[in-house]
Every structure is written in C-alpha cells, then in structure tokens.
Amino acid sequence: MPAQTYLFACLKDNFGVLLHDPDSGATAAIDAPEAAAVEAALAKTGWRLTDILVTHHHGDHTAGIAELKRHHQCRVVAPRKEAQKIALVDETVGEGDAVRVGSLAGRVIETPGHTAGHISYFFPADKLAFVGDTLFSIGCGRVIEGNPEMMWQSLMKLRHLPDDTQFYCGHEYTQANIRFAKTIEPNNKALAARADEVARLIAAGKPTIPATIGAEKTENPFLRADVPEVAKAVGLASSPAWKVFAEIRERKNRF
Ligand SMILES: [Zn+2]
C-alpha cells in the first residue's frame, strides 16, 4: 500500500511530518521539532511512532527526540557527519544508504550547505522527499556551515529527483520566499500563478507544502541559477551557476 503522510505546524514556523506505512504500521517522524506537537499528531492519526529520521542537528529539528524516544522507544536515524551533535542516535547514515520505515524503502541523499552534514530522505516508490532546511518551496535554507558551491550542488541533487516528487521541507516560508523570488524574476508566469495559489492556501489556513520538484524547477530562483535569464537578472551572465546562486542567496539574506 502507498505511504501516508501527516503534516502539521509547530514551533514558530516549523513543519513536522509523519510518514506512515499502512502495511506494517510503522511510522517515522521526520525530525522532531517538539515532542508535544509530534505526540498530538500521533494521537490524531492513531499511528505508533517507530522511527525518527533526522535531517540535521539544529535544535528546531531535534529538541523533541529525547522525550519521544523515552515514550516510544523509537529508533533514531541521523546524519553520520553530524551525529555527535544529536542526542540518542541509534543509526547513522550517509550518501546512498538505505533507510526503511516498515516496508517503505528510502535512501539518503547528502545535501550539505545549511549544515555540514545535512541529509535528505527520498522514498522512490512513493516519490516523497524530506529535505529539511536544504530546499524550501520557492526558496532554500541559509548557507550556515557550508559554502554556496556546496549548497548549489546539494540543490542540484534534489532537482534531479523525478518532477512529480512531492517534497516536505522544515519551514513555512513560502509566501515570503515568493515576495523575494519576484524581485529576481518579475515576469515569471509560473511564479505568478504559484503566488496566487499560495495566497489562497494561506487565506484558507492551509499549508503551502508539499510542493513538487517539477514546479520548483520553473518557479524557484534558487534552482534556476543556471538559467541564462536568471544569471542576467542578477548581473552575472556567463558566470558559473554556483556564483549566480551565491548572489541570489546573498540578496535573499539582505531582503
Ligand atoms: Zn536548520
């Protein structure tokens, strides 16, 4: 049976998401921003927590781990390259490693840049990706521990996923990201249509994710640094894509 997901808002602007395998009953929390919100989601769905899949070490993705593990004895899977910064890790993973949630088969994609060891999880059969703070809808994470070239390469790995991949990110930043994206590509029609759709969702109190990789390719300036018009728009025609990406990221930091 296909995987099921349950998305919920928590903390200030974080997303939490549960990934559930109906065949085995296994359920993973993707990151653990806060235990109470994850518990509420479990109560609402009636699912039993078996795993926590951690994307990176930041507190707003890991603060709930200890309490959830105490209550559910769940397995904690975390990125090998920063596992020492994360509490109570049972299993460490890196590029290409298989991660199972019950009968759901996922694999790890290393996506460093926001943090040095950040990973994403991709479940190909269900075309679901959990990308933490690497890719946001119409945006991307701040480059904190890595460098722009590293972050661009990480985003390219995610851009290579199938177009109909639905991805879940760590924060609800979409509307603010759209305001910025329009400064880079004011004439992007797909982006304008997305802006209308997102405004409707926000007005209805609904989340703006999951989004698809295919849509982001046409709408998200951070995935479009190798599009000639985008390079030109930031005054860097014929520069390497990662430099264009770095300039867009720098402008967003100041926006
Ligand atoms: Zn983070």
Side-chain angles (χ1 to χ4, degrees), residues 196-232:
D196 292 343
E197 183 199 353
V198 164
R200 277 196 298 276
L201 288 168
I202 299 269
K206 291 182 177 160
T208 64
I209 68 159
T212 66
I213 294 293
E216 295 293 315
K217 281 162 134 176
T218 65
E219 298 160 2
N220 185 336
F222 294 98
L223 293 189
R224 294 168 55 75
D226 55 353
V227 173
E229 303 87 83
V230 172
K232 206 169 152 211

Side-chain angles (χ1 to χ4, degrees), residues 79-119:
R80 185 169 298 132
K81 290 177 180 167
E82 55 190 48
Q84 74 286 354
K85 295 179 176 167
I86 300 165
L88 304 170
V89 173
D90 296 300
E91 194 177 322
T92 65
V93 291
E95 182 71 27
D97 284 349
V99 174
R100 295 192 83 87
V101 176
S103 64
L104 306 176
R107 72 176 153 83
V108 172
I109 304 171
E110 290 189 349
T111 50
H114 176 69
T115 63
H118 192 297
I119 60 173

Side-chain angles (χ1 to χ4, degrees), residues 56 58 60-61 114 133:
H56 67 294
H58 285 161
D60 62 328
H61 294 254
H114 176 69
D133 287 356

Side-chain angles (χ1 to χ4, degrees), residues 49-52 65 68-69 72-76 90:
L49 189 68
T50 51
D51 306 272
I52 300 174
I65 291 175
L68 290 168
K69 191 164 173 65
H72 300 279
Q73 289 81 48
C74 50
R75 174 184 68 146
V76 177
D90 296 300

